[in-house]
Amino acid sequence: MTKEEGARKREQLIRDGYCHIEGVLPEDFLATMREESDRLLDSAEHPPEWQYQGSDLHVSGQDNEAMGNLLEWPGARDILNTMGLTDFTPSGIVIILSKPAGGPPLYWHQDWMAWNDPISLAPWPQTIFLSYYLVDTDFENGCFRVIPGTHRRRIPLHGQVEVAHQETAYFADMKDPHMFGDHTDAVDLPVKAGDLVIGDARVLHAARGNNSDRRRTLLLGWHNRPLTVPDHWTGEVPEPILNRPPDARYEGTRIPGKYLE
Ligand SMILES: O=C(O)CCC(=O)C(=O)O
Ligand SMILES: [Fe+2]
């Protein structure tokens, strides 16, 4: 990735809440990751809560060598550095999200859990996911969907969806027109195996159902950065962030409040 391309990808991540980087994992490493995730999925009990995510299997990079190698993949570090996202650290967990053949769509949701904290206003990404796709995705087998800009801009859908990844979302009605509906601003993001999608935890996203006869697996790692203004940021810093006591603690919530404008 060139410096110019890195800057463009960062700008897109800041503006839209996501970006797509092609061809990050080479074929031999992909084959290893496919084999290892298939093995883990085949031996995991799939509780009913997993119906919409397909699977939500958390694997520690310390316990599993292949997943550890993914979290420390030098190519990904190079990409983050070239994008100027030098101060992100991985959480240490890889989440295996695999839609089985015939699996339903995943509901619209966002994954930010600190909406009481003024840092929610950050114009820069603060918590991001790195999603590596192990197979090509398209409309048919469950590609990613996203509503650009919703990490910073409130839309009616924010108030119409269930809070993500807890009972009312796990067992939401497939006929719910908001959770599983189409949205005029939604963008589909089909990718190739080995591609990387970087997303801001605050952005509204979903996935299509898997109508193919093969599982659609992605490996997702959360990454966080410190509560400082990043070096790449040259724009204004919102007042509530400037006034935030560095050691303040806020009760976690997935429900956007006054810090989503
Ligand atoms: O499976 C996907 O495509 C996305 C999964 C996701 O966003 C989640 O589990 O929070
Ligand atoms: Fe998500």
Side-chain angles (χ1 to χ4, degrees):
M1 180 185 276
T2 63
K3 227 172 140 50
E4 291 68 32
E5 203 185 341
R8 271 203 307 279
K9 296 290 182 193
R10 183 182 71 235
E11 289 314 312
Q12 194 202 349
L13 178 61
I14 289 172
R15 182 187 67 234
D16 296 338
Y18 72 99
C19 68
H20 171 200
I21 295 140
E22 291 174 28
V24 174
L25 300 183
E27 195 46 57
D28 55 341
F29 188 53
L30 259 181
T32 305
M33 296 317 294
R34 258 185 225 120
E35 200 176 308
E36 184 57 8
S37 46
D38 283 347
R39 188 185 71 79
L40 292 165
L41 286 163
D42 290 340
S43 59
E45 182 127 4
H46 284 52
E49 288 84 343
W50 284 3
Q51 61 175 331
Y52 295 130
Q53 283 168 295
S55 68
D56 184 20
L57 189 56
H58 294 217
V59 186
S60 154
Q62 254 168 14
D63 301 344
N64 183 293
E65 193 185 345
M67 299 299 160
N69 290 341
L70 183 73
L71 289 172
E72 275 160 35
W73 188 248
R77 179 49 60 192
D78 289 347
I79 286 167
L80 290 179
N81 286 345
T82 308
M83 289 174 69
L85 307 177
T86 50
D87 53 6
F88 278 90
T89 48
S91 74
I93 301 286
V94 174
I95 306 180
I96 306 180
L97 291 153
S98 187
K99 266 188 197 308
L106 174 61
Y107 42 77
W108 287 107
H109 70 281
Q110 46 81 24
D111 293 308
W112 180 245
M113 297 196 281
W115 284 109
N116 282 336
D117 190 324
I119 196 67
S120 304
L121 279 170
W124 56 81
Q126 189 65 23
T127 297
I128 55 177
F129 60 80
L130 269 58
S131 281
Y132 297 95
Y133 286 82
L134 301 187
V135 296
D136 296 358
T137 65
D138 53 28
F139 284 24
E140 163 117 14
N141 75 340
C143 70
F144 185 68
R145 311 187 75 196
V146 58
I147 306 178
T150 51
H151 58 314
R152 308 239 7 253
R153 192 186 69 251
R154 190 183 284 273
I155 64 169
L157 189 59
H158 279 105
Q160 293 164 332
V161 294
E162 299 290 344
V163 171
H165 310 335
Q166 46 76 52
E167 289 312 275
T168 59
Y170 289 149
F171 300 108
D173 187 345
M174 268 270 290
K175 291 196 279 292
D176 184 306
H178 305 299
M179 296 283 280
F180 295 98
D182 239 319
H183 193 281
T184 43
D185 297 329
V187 171
D188 279 282
L189 194 59
V191 301
K192 294 279 180 221
D195 286 3
L196 171 64
V197 172
I198 303 181
D200 189 306
R202 297 168 294 184
V203 80
L204 283 169
H205 59 281
R208 289 192 180 264
N210 183 356
N211 297 311
S212 77
D213 56 8
R214 201 177 149 209
R215 70 168 40 128
R216 184 237 58 180
T217 302
L218 70 80
L219 303 177
L220 181 150
W222 287 105
H223 291 61
N224 250 304
R225 59 171 305 282
L227 290 161
T228 53
V229 177
D231 289 344
H232 66 75
W233 186 254
T234 53
E236 271 183 46
V237 178
E239 206 58 40
I241 294 183
L242 291 172
N243 296 335
R244 183 194 187 286
D247 52 358
R249 291 278 175 278
Y250 300 86
E251 201 183 332
T253 176
R254 282 182 173 266
I255 303 172
K258 63 177 175 185
Y259 297 127
L260 183 65
E261 293 168 335

